[in-house]
Amino acid sequence: MLRKIILGMLVFCFILSGAYIAWLQKEVKLNQAAVNILKLVPAYDPNVQQPAFFHANGFDALADVNPSVLGKERYDLDWKLYLADPDTQKNSQTFSEITAQQIDYKKFWSKEDKKLIAEIQSHLNSADYIETPFWDENKTRIETILKQKQFLLNRYQQQIHYQNYQALIQTPTANVPYTLYFDTHILFLADLYLQGSTDGVLAYIHLKLDRLNHNLNSVDKALLIAQLNQAIDVLNILTQRQSKQIQLPQLNVEQLSFEKQAAYEMRNTYYVFKNVDERFKRASDQTTGLAKLWGKIYTPFAFDFNQSMNQAYLNYQPYVEVSKLPYPEFSVKIN
């Protein structure tokens, strides 16, 4: 009797295990919501036309190099290497042609330049309605660095006036020149501050607000918000001194929403998971017999591409939803 019970339990476990393995093998479909959010950010396209993005991506080009051309070359080469072999590492030989066209940030700024820019940023962030001695004491130094970096300021002026900026998906190893871009913003804002140009700062703020309506990745958006905060502080100082009253528009749902940034994170996740998925497939193709059978059994336990993407979307979904709420509801639900 005991033997029959044990045998029955073994048969039952065998059937249950077989059914569970068969269930694991069934295809998991990609959630439609995940598909829709991925569509907000296109995959890599060698023929894409996006001059505003390429200009920003090549912002660290030398003075005599077209930043849009350098940005496009950098974008294409990065993806060419990444798609050819996910394990390929950048090296000076591969990127030598591009490196020769870009500013060496460490050599471009002297120690004195770096210190001055840091001091300017500090004073812009903490400036009071009363003029501080810093500006009078360092006016000549600031004017000198503005003159020396005039080509960057001209380049930045062109960049902020570009319409319909749409950030394209970058590889995980891409090095976007954010530091140089932000330092140039500091110089640009300092120039407006020294001119006492309320209208100039206001126009700058409106250009930045307009940029918030477009497709930005998470770093772009965080950088833009930091720039806006500094510009608004400067505007407040100048309007107080000039006894002006200016009201800025409130941010709209499109500007506040995290949806497009989540889409970029999802697209990045897509490439990471695709890499993992392809590794599993390559490992399976290289095995035979029992090893191949065992691979098919344990792989679903370890990883399923669509299931992983669906879960990634569920992780982002609550943040997307709360970012679209009116502020009173947002302030309650964010916690």
Side-chain angles (χ1 to χ4, degrees), residues 236-249:
N236 282 331
I237 296 164
L238 296 180
T239 52
Q240 284 283 340
R241 290 184 188 151
Q242 299 170 19
S243 300
K244 292 183 178 181
Q245 288 188 348
I246 295 175
Q247 187 171 0
L248 294 173

Side-chain angles (χ1 to χ4, degrees), residues 31 33-34 37 258-259 261-263 265-266 269-270 273 303-323 334:
N31 188 302
I37 199 170
F258 180 66
E259 186 168 34
Q261 285 67 56
E265 303 299 335
M266 281 287 291
T269 300
Y270 171 88
F273 287 169
F303 178 79
D304 179 88
F305 176 79
N306 287 346
Q307 184 64 42
S308 299
M309 287 298 297
N310 289 341
Q311 184 58 51
Y313 173 75
L314 292 176
N315 292 341
Y316 289 118
Q317 186 181 22
Y319 297 98
V320 172
E321 291 177 353
V322 78
S323 69
I334 191 62

